[in-house]
Amino acid sequence: MLSAELLSAFLEIVGPRGLITAQNQLQTYECDGLTAFREAPSAVLLPETTGQVQAILRLCTRHKVPFVARGAGTGLSGGALPTQGSIVIGFSRMTKILNVDLVNHQITVQPGVINANVTVAVAGAGFFYAPDPSSQTVCTIGGNVAENAGGAHCLKYGFTVTHVLEATVVLPSGELVTLGSKSPDAPGYDLLGVFIGSEGTLGIATEMTLRIVRKPEAIQVLLAAFPSISAAAQTVSDIIAAGLLPSAMEIMDRLAIVAAEAAVHPQYPMCDGLLIVEVDGPLAEVKLQAEQVLELCRKNGAIETRHAIDEGDRLLIWKGRKAAFAAAGRLSPNYIVQDGVIPRTTLPVVLEKIAAMANAEGLRVTNVFHAGDGNLHPIVLYRRDNPGEEERAIDLSMRILDLCVETGGSITGEHGVGREKQCSMSYMYAPADLATMQRVRRAFDPDNIANPEKLFPTPRLCGEQKRGHYVPHPVEASGIAEVF
Ligand SMILES: Cc1cc2nc3c(=O)[nH]c(=O)nc-3n(C[C@H](O)[C@H](O)[C@H](O)COP(=O)(O)OP(=O)(O)OC[C@H]3O[C@@H](n4cnc5c(N)ncnc54)[C@H](O)[C@@H]3O)c2cc1C
């Protein structure tokens, strides 16, 4: 509960349109895309300038008030979930494109700019912004930077981290710093690299200069239908092994196709493993690569192949893929989108293991994922109103992550750790690794007010507990355990 004095100080900074305290309005902010976890914030602040963000954070530091940054709230790991007693700082009023520098292939934006709008701003001049999360028509650049967001085309073009040159960041103390540089390869520590993917735990980005890329001469998208998801996965490995680098390689299983078809009618061939491959570059190279890809698809038993007949068809194919998470709502009222990474060559065997685990648990799992990166997105379907089913779904999705780690992979490829996977961090890292990361965090945020209770196990004993909803360990409750 914030004091009346503090609320009026916040009001003075952001004005009445920038402060939300009514209970019914706060409900909008009580969760992100991971709806299984909810907590209402004490207040929501919607600043318009970097100066206002600085003033807010100075007050937060003085009064030890935790804050949680929020872009569009599409995060799937609870990153923008309020923590107890926290305020939320939203960026829906910081949506300006500040500068377009076509000569240097750069654009500078505020954090609330929607990902797809960056491309809209430069498309007329023949450029695009490459990182394309499936949520790109809604999610913000601030959220993308905090999560190091990926997308279908990151296979060739790289994740967000490859495309951010410079960020203006307000530290939790209110101090303003510039990380990175508009010109490449500045000497010294790569603090911008530390900030990207830090999930709102090191400060707030209020301006970002991004790299934009020239549109390729030609783009072709291919569809190949396989009798099994393993055959589609094997083809992905074979394409890379053949020395080809498509701009995207995505896989969808039968359930995902059914859902996408019902939602946006992309007219995919019905099958157990659908492979979408996009190749781009000079026209001659695209033609050759497309032929080679189709050849490998046929070799692996594709029952049907086709390519987009025109640009409209290509966009429709991508619309189906990008709508797949939301379309899962047509399969089940509740679902968890998981995000693990495995070595690409292990795709066939891991997908079979996931199917076996789901069968044993009596739950349905559908798969739609960035196959080229080995970045799985198993979607665990469940009904919250069936007693105990949500807990079983959370447990299954966490065991899938354990499997990813055991296979030599990671607990997240792009959705972040947030609240959801903080206890899995101890499965992936040794205590010394986690302690080192905490020291970095404390260098930026000595008071532990920037998105606390996220990213790292809290307390250290977290790894010993059952995962899912956070229940304080008895040793923590008694005040003995160390809480970061
Ligand atoms: C249908 C759907 C499809 C998706 N597909 C993809 C995908 O293909 N690839 C992918 O990577 N993700 C995907 N996501 C996840 C999500 O869209 C991304 O993580 C995205 O980057 C979050 O952006 P946001 O603006 O919604 O951020 P939010 O969810 O609001 O916040 C995410 C994190 O960023 C922090 N944050 C927000 N703004 C700032 C700021 N200015 N400074 C510092 N920290 C900040 C928050 O505190 C939080 O920790 C998908 C989500 C959905 C719902």
Side-chain angles (χ1 to χ4, degrees), residues 32-33 68-76 79-80 91 111 132-135 138-152 195 199-200 203-206 208 321-322 325-326 370 377 414-415 451:
D32 61 6
V68 178
R70 182 181 172 107
T74 65
L76 291 167
F91 295 101
D132 60 337
S134 302
S135 52
V138 192
C139 67
T140 67
I141 294 296
N144 291 175
V145 168
E147 299 289 359
N148 188 19
F195 186 82
E199 303 192 21
I204 288 182
T206 58
M208 282 142 288
R321 162 60 187 93
K322 297 204 171 196
F325 289 175
H370 307 310
H377 290 318
E414 53 185 22
H415 296 171
N451 212 1

XYZ file of all heavy atoms in Angstrom, residues 32-33 68-76 79-80 91 111 132-135 138-152 195 199-200 203-206 208 321-322 325-326 370 377 414-415 451, ligand 1:
404
model
N 0.638 -10.956 -17.154
C 0.988 -10.791 -18.575
C 0.412 -11.983 -19.326
O -0.638 -12.504 -18.943
C 2.508 -10.606 -18.752
C 3.314 -11.799 -18.244
O 2.717 -12.828 -17.860
O 4.558 -11.713 -18.250
N 1.098 -12.435 -20.396
C 0.575 -13.553 -21.184
C 0.553 -14.867 -20.420
O -0.074 -15.826 -20.852
N 7.996 -2.559 -11.636
C 8.007 -3.544 -12.721
C 7.702 -2.799 -14.015
O 6.651 -2.156 -14.132
C 6.942 -4.642 -12.477
C 6.933 -5.642 -13.637
C 7.184 -5.359 -11.153
N 8.627 -2.857 -14.977
C 8.376 -2.226 -16.282
C 7.413 -3.094 -17.074
O 7.397 -4.313 -16.931
C 9.694 -2.070 -17.038
N 6.597 -2.454 -17.896
C 5.649 -3.204 -18.726
C 5.514 -2.565 -20.100
O 5.266 -1.363 -20.213
C 4.278 -3.230 -18.029
C 3.231 -4.042 -18.790
C 1.908 -4.016 -18.062
N 0.865 -4.623 -18.844
C 0.316 -5.801 -18.622
N 0.725 -6.519 -17.594
N -0.644 -6.271 -19.380
N 5.708 -3.393 -21.132
C 5.469 -2.943 -22.495
C 4.026 -3.228 -22.851
O 3.110 -2.576 -22.359
N 3.819 -4.277 -23.680
C 2.452 -4.646 -24.060
C 1.900 -5.769 -23.192
O 0.743 -6.165 -23.350
C 2.433 -5.076 -25.525
N 2.736 -6.325 -22.301
C 2.259 -7.413 -21.437
C 2.036 -8.715 -22.197
O 1.252 -9.556 -21.759
N 2.757 -8.927 -23.313
C 2.600 -10.185 -24.053
C 3.599 -11.249 -23.597
O 3.591 -12.364 -24.126
C 2.793 -9.988 -25.573
O 4.151 -9.597 -25.810
C 1.838 -8.949 -26.130
N 4.455 -10.898 -22.652
C 5.461 -11.841 -22.160
C 4.783 -13.123 -21.692
O 3.667 -13.102 -21.175
N 5.488 -14.238 -21.860
C 4.865 -15.529 -21.541
C 5.513 -16.194 -20.329
O 5.251 -17.359 -20.056
C 4.955 -16.447 -22.767
C 4.066 -15.999 -23.946
C 4.442 -16.742 -25.223
C 2.595 -16.219 -23.619
N 7.225 -11.998 -16.720
C 8.212 -10.930 -16.508
C 7.572 -9.620 -16.080
O 8.108 -8.896 -15.241
N 6.409 -9.300 -16.648
C 5.747 -8.031 -16.309
C 4.700 -8.219 -15.212
O 3.941 -7.292 -14.905
C 5.095 -7.433 -17.556
N 4.518 1.674 -20.770
C 5.079 2.559 -21.802
C 4.120 2.845 -22.956
O 4.543 3.189 -24.049
C 6.420 1.996 -22.290
C 7.413 2.021 -21.170
C 7.704 0.880 -20.458
C 7.955 3.227 -20.760
C 8.555 0.923 -19.367
C 8.799 3.288 -19.669
C 9.102 2.133 -18.972
N 10.456 3.228 -25.932
C 10.244 1.807 -25.601
C 8.865 1.263 -25.946
O 8.711 0.068 -26.162
C 10.454 1.773 -24.078
C 10.259 3.171 -23.610
C 10.705 4.041 -24.738
N 11.432 -10.685 -35.502
C 9.982 -10.696 -35.733
C 9.260 -11.695 -34.838
O 8.795 -12.752 -35.307
C 9.690 -11.010 -37.207
C 10.231 -12.373 -37.631
O 11.171 -12.871 -36.969
O 9.693 -12.956 -38.586
N 9.153 -11.404 -33.531
C 8.376 -12.312 -32.691
C 6.967 -12.481 -33.262
O 6.459 -11.564 -33.921
C 8.320 -11.607 -31.323
C 9.035 -10.318 -31.466
C 9.618 -10.219 -32.825
N 6.360 -13.635 -33.022
C 5.012 -13.865 -33.561
C 4.021 -12.840 -33.009
O 2.967 -12.630 -33.591
C 4.549 -15.276 -33.228
O 5.464 -16.199 -33.755
N 4.364 -12.225 -31.894
C 3.516 -11.194 -31.274
C 3.831 -9.803 -31.819
O 3.446 -8.795 -31.228
C 3.759 -11.202 -29.760
O 5.163 -11.112 -29.517
N 1.848 -6.488 -31.704
C 1.408 -5.987 -30.393
C 2.578 -5.653 -29.466
O 2.553 -4.644 -28.753
C 0.529 -7.051 -29.670
C -0.160 -6.445 -28.465
C -0.483 -7.675 -30.602
N 3.608 -6.510 -29.450
C 4.658 -6.354 -28.433
C 5.538 -5.136 -28.741
O 5.601 -4.662 -29.867
C 5.493 -7.622 -28.313
S 6.490 -7.983 -29.761
N 6.214 -4.637 -27.700
C 6.962 -3.389 -27.824
C 8.471 -3.637 -27.915
O 8.969 -4.679 -27.480
C 6.715 -2.478 -26.606
O 7.305 -3.115 -25.450
C 5.224 -2.251 -26.376
N 9.166 -2.635 -28.420
C 10.627 -2.745 -28.521
C 11.251 -2.819 -27.111
O 12.194 -3.567 -26.884
C 11.214 -1.565 -29.328
C 10.737 -1.653 -30.787
C 12.731 -1.544 -29.258
C 11.212 -2.883 -31.552
N 10.697 -2.082 -26.143
C 11.217 -2.160 -24.769
C 11.147 -3.585 -24.244
O 12.119 -4.107 -23.672
N 10.007 -4.239 -24.446
C 9.834 -5.633 -24.010
C 10.747 -6.563 -24.798
O 11.325 -7.501 -24.241
N 10.914 -6.307 -26.090
C 11.797 -7.149 -26.930
C 13.241 -7.077 -26.427
O 13.932 -8.086 -26.361
C 11.789 -6.670 -28.392
C 10.477 -6.892 -29.115
O 10.319 -6.464 -30.244
N 9.517 -7.548 -28.491
N 13.676 -5.852 -26.105
C 15.058 -5.685 -25.640
C 15.236 -6.393 -24.291
O 16.208 -7.105 -24.065
C 15.423 -4.189 -25.556
C 16.731 -3.976 -24.802
C 15.519 -3.604 -26.965
N 14.250 -6.223 -23.406
C 14.350 -6.833 -22.071
C 14.355 -8.361 -22.153
O 14.935 -9.027 -21.303
C 13.198 -6.356 -21.189
N 13.694 -8.913 -23.162
C 13.618 -10.381 -23.280
C 14.592 -10.938 -24.316
O 14.616 -12.143 -24.538
C 12.193 -10.804 -23.680
C 11.093 -10.435 -22.699
C 11.149 -11.272 -21.428
O 12.036 -12.143 -21.327
O 10.316 -11.037 -20.548
N 15.344 -10.066 -24.999
C 16.137 -10.491 -26.161
C 15.266 -11.348 -27.081
O 15.577 -12.516 -27.379
C 17.403 -11.255 -25.747
C 18.316 -11.519 -26.941
O 18.207 -10.854 -27.977
N 19.201 -12.486 -26.808
N 14.170 -10.745 -27.535
C 13.163 -11.487 -28.294
C 13.725 -12.059 -29.583
O 14.623 -11.485 -30.206
C 11.985 -10.560 -28.612
N 13.164 -13.189 -29.958
C 13.501 -13.826 -31.215
C 12.283 -13.858 -32.117
O 11.274 -13.203 -31.849
N 12.373 -14.623 -33.173
C 11.254 -14.755 -34.104
C 11.670 -15.671 -35.229
O 12.836 -16.093 -35.307
N 10.730 -15.950 -36.117
C 10.986 -16.930 -37.177
C 12.257 -16.588 -37.968
O 13.047 -17.464 -38.292
C 9.782 -16.988 -38.106
N 22.670 -5.773 -20.555
C 21.317 -5.233 -20.346
C 20.273 -5.979 -21.182
O 19.154 -6.244 -20.725
C 21.287 -3.733 -20.683
C 19.979 -3.091 -20.356
C 19.694 -2.671 -19.062
C 19.002 -2.947 -21.339
C 18.466 -2.110 -18.752
C 17.779 -2.375 -21.039
C 17.503 -1.951 -19.735
N 15.504 -8.680 -18.540
C 14.127 -8.842 -18.065
C 13.693 -7.768 -17.060
O 13.009 -8.055 -16.074
C 13.929 -10.252 -17.475
C 14.272 -11.357 -18.465
C 13.828 -12.737 -18.031
O 12.920 -12.839 -17.184
O 14.403 -13.719 -18.516
N 14.122 -6.546 -17.290
C 13.664 -5.448 -16.438
C 14.295 -5.427 -15.061
O 13.836 -4.705 -14.176
N 17.211 -1.979 -14.882
C 16.822 -0.598 -15.126
C 15.806 -0.560 -16.243
O 15.332 -1.608 -16.710
N 15.500 0.662 -16.692
C 14.453 0.829 -17.706
C 15.038 1.497 -18.944
O 15.664 2.563 -18.851
C 13.290 1.662 -17.123
C 12.531 0.795 -16.113
C 12.372 2.173 -18.219
C 11.338 1.455 -15.500
N 14.815 0.882 -20.097
C 15.285 1.462 -21.366
C 14.247 2.468 -21.849
O 13.062 2.138 -21.962
C 15.476 0.358 -22.398
N 14.688 3.691 -22.136
C 13.725 4.713 -22.573
C 13.962 5.169 -24.015
O 13.129 5.875 -24.565
C 13.757 5.939 -21.638
O 15.076 6.455 -21.623
C 13.306 5.579 -20.240
N 15.995 3.527 -27.726
C 16.853 2.498 -28.294
C 17.142 2.785 -29.763
O 16.227 3.122 -30.508
C 16.174 1.128 -28.183
C 16.268 0.554 -26.777
S 14.773 -0.312 -26.289
C 13.637 1.023 -26.045
N 1.109 -19.207 -39.123
C 2.146 -19.590 -38.151
C 2.154 -18.624 -36.967
O 2.232 -19.039 -35.821
C 3.522 -19.616 -38.849
C 4.728 -19.573 -37.928
C 4.777 -20.755 -36.961
N 5.847 -20.631 -35.982
C 5.718 -20.092 -34.780
N 4.541 -19.643 -34.369
N 6.746 -20.024 -33.957
N 2.057 -17.322 -37.277
C 2.186 -16.331 -36.196
C 0.949 -16.280 -35.317
O 0.998 -15.796 -34.178
C 2.515 -14.962 -36.786
C 3.882 -15.018 -37.492
C 4.587 -13.712 -37.617
C 6.001 -13.973 -38.116
N 6.910 -12.884 -37.962
N -0.102 -19.424 -31.456
C -0.246 -19.429 -29.992
C -1.654 -18.994 -29.605
O -2.320 -19.625 -28.789
C 0.744 -18.482 -29.315
C 2.183 -18.929 -29.345
C 3.175 -18.094 -28.847
C 2.544 -20.159 -29.862
C 4.506 -18.487 -28.871
C 3.870 -20.569 -29.896
C 4.853 -19.714 -29.395
N -2.092 -17.877 -30.208
C -3.422 -17.374 -29.864
C -4.491 -18.376 -30.294
O -5.490 -18.594 -29.593
C -3.650 -16.030 -30.543
N 10.267 -22.716 -33.561
C 11.363 -22.257 -34.417
C 12.360 -23.415 -34.576
O 13.342 -23.520 -33.834
C 12.069 -21.059 -33.784
C 11.147 -19.929 -33.398
N 10.227 -19.396 -34.267
C 11.015 -19.235 -32.242
C 9.572 -18.412 -33.665
N 10.021 -18.307 -32.424
N 8.445 -24.836 -28.659
C 7.346 -24.192 -27.937
C 6.213 -25.190 -27.716
O 5.144 -25.074 -28.324
C 6.810 -22.986 -28.722
C 7.745 -21.829 -28.780
N 8.485 -21.399 -27.700
C 8.079 -20.991 -29.787
C 9.227 -20.373 -28.043
N 9.013 -20.101 -29.305
N 13.651 -17.592 -25.829
C 13.297 -16.201 -26.129
C 12.242 -15.622 -25.195
O 12.096 -14.411 -25.117
C 12.809 -16.105 -27.585
C 11.688 -17.094 -27.893
C 11.266 -17.109 -29.353
O 12.060 -16.693 -30.207
O 10.131 -17.540 -29.623
N 11.492 -16.452 -24.471
C 10.414 -15.900 -23.633
C 10.897 -15.463 -22.260
O 10.130 -14.872 -21.496
C 9.277 -16.926 -23.467
C 8.598 -17.269 -24.764
N 7.686 -18.279 -24.888
C 8.716 -16.713 -26.000
C 7.264 -18.348 -26.150
N 7.886 -17.412 -26.841
N 12.143 -5.004 -10.676
C 11.529 -6.303 -10.986
C 12.059 -7.418 -10.073
O 12.545 -8.452 -10.542
C 11.773 -6.677 -12.460
C 10.622 -7.487 -13.026
O 9.620 -7.752 -12.332
N 10.731 -7.891 -14.273
C 0.979 -14.875 -29.240
C 2.370 -14.639 -28.735
C 3.444 -14.973 -29.551
C 4.756 -14.741 -29.122
N 5.805 -15.044 -29.938
C 7.067 -14.755 -29.570
C 8.171 -15.004 -30.439
O 8.027 -15.497 -31.556
N 9.405 -14.666 -30.002
C 9.608 -14.103 -28.779
O 10.752 -13.790 -28.445
N 8.591 -13.877 -27.930
C 7.334 -14.180 -28.293
N 6.291 -13.932 -27.434
C 6.571 -13.408 -26.084
C 6.531 -11.857 -25.995
O 5.739 -11.301 -27.012
C 7.939 -11.293 -26.053
O 8.660 -11.713 -24.906
C 8.005 -9.762 -26.128
O 9.353 -9.373 -26.258
C 7.394 -9.066 -24.917
O 7.164 -7.708 -25.249
P 6.128 -6.833 -24.406
O 6.159 -5.447 -24.932
O 4.789 -7.471 -24.403
O 6.788 -6.895 -22.972
P 6.142 -7.200 -21.550
O 5.505 -8.556 -21.555
O 5.298 -6.069 -21.139
O 7.443 -7.238 -20.656
C 8.411 -8.240 -20.849
C 9.603 -7.962 -19.929
O 10.232 -6.776 -20.358
C 10.384 -5.862 -19.278
N 10.291 -4.528 -19.888
C 9.291 -4.040 -20.663
N 9.600 -2.803 -21.094
C 10.823 -2.507 -20.600
C 11.688 -1.382 -20.699
N 11.356 -0.307 -21.397
N 12.878 -1.423 -20.050
C 13.237 -2.515 -19.319
N 12.459 -3.599 -19.184
C 11.271 -3.607 -19.830
C 9.260 -6.232 -18.333
O 9.552 -5.842 -17.010
C 9.233 -7.740 -18.480
O 10.215 -8.326 -17.669
C 4.981 -14.190 -27.831
C 3.885 -13.860 -27.020
C 2.608 -14.100 -27.462
C 1.464 -13.726 -26.563
